[in-house]
Structure formats: C-alpha cells, structure tokens
C-alpha cells in the first residue's frame, strides 16, 4: 500500500515537472502585425483612394458647371 502511494506520488510529481518545463520553452517573439490578413496601411490606402476618387468626381462636376455658366455647354464642341 505504501509503495503504491509512493509510486503514484512520484509519477504525479514527474508529470507536473514535465508540464512545467514545457511552459518554459522559448517560442520566439509574438508579433500579431505579421499575421494580419489586411495590414492597417493597406486599409488606409484603400480609404484614401476612395476619397481621392470622390474628390476628382466633384472637381469634374464643378468644372462642367463652371464651363456651362461661361459657354452654355459642359463639354467643348467636338470633344
């Protein structure tokens, strides 16, 4: 009975020690930026592209309105 208790105690201590040593292993640095699917700078570029396109469209519309006020038509003849 006593030897069985010693064996189970020794086994459980060894298993605990092995588990504790596994937790001490170096796994290298963790950098979530490297594993991201879409990087923040690309998201920003996409947002900027949309704003630039919107601005270009508004500029062309304003240009056409100004031209219509001056010459009575949006586009030049023959264009």
């Amino acid at each position: 009975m006593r030897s069985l208790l010693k064996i189970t105690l020794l086994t459980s201590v060894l298993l605990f020690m092995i588990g504790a040593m596994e937790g001490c292993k170096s796994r290298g640095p963790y950098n979530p930026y490297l594993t991201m699917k879409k990087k923040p700078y690309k998201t920003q570029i996409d947002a900027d592209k949309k704003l630039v396109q919107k601005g270009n469209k508004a500029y062309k519309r304003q240009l056409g309105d100004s031209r219509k006020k001056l010459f009575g038509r949006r586009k030049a003849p023959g264009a």
Side-chain angles (χ1 to χ4, degrees), residues 15-25:
L15 287 175
F16 176 75
M17 295 284 280
I18 290 172
M21 295 309 282
E22 285 291 320
C24 294
K25 283 186 180 176

Side-chain angles (χ1 to χ4, degrees), residues 43-61:
T43 306
Q44 186 65 43
I45 287 172
D46 292 343
D48 289 345
K49 277 184 186 176
K50 286 181 182 178
L51 284 174
V52 167
Q53 287 173 348
K54 203 173 191 181
N56 286 344
K57 190 174 181 182
Y59 173 72
K60 286 187 179 186
R61 189 177 300 125

Side-chain angles (χ1 to χ4, degrees):
M1 186 73 167
R2 252 183 155 188
S3 63
L4 182 62
L5 183 63
K6 285 182 182 178
I7 291 173
T8 54
L9 183 63
L10 184 64
T11 306
S12 61
V13 168
L14 283 175
L15 287 175
F16 176 75
M17 295 284 280
I18 290 172
M21 295 309 282
E22 285 291 320
C24 294
K25 283 186 180 176
S26 174
R27 291 185 179 87
Y30 172 68
N31 189 350
Y33 183 80
L34 294 176
T35 57
M36 292 174 76
K37 290 199 180 259
K38 191 156 188 172
K39 307 276 192 227
Y41 75 91
K42 287 192 178 180
T43 306
Q44 186 65 43
I45 287 172
D46 292 343
D48 289 345
K49 277 184 186 176
K50 286 181 182 178
L51 284 174
V52 167
Q53 287 173 348
K54 203 173 191 181
N56 286 344
K57 190 174 181 182
Y59 173 72
K60 286 187 179 186
R61 189 177 300 125
Q62 179 64 40
L63 205 63
D65 289 346
S66 298
R67 181 168 175 78
K68 187 170 184 177
K69 283 180 186 176
L70 287 174
F71 304 110
R73 56 176 25 183
R74 285 186 173 273
K75 293 184 179 179

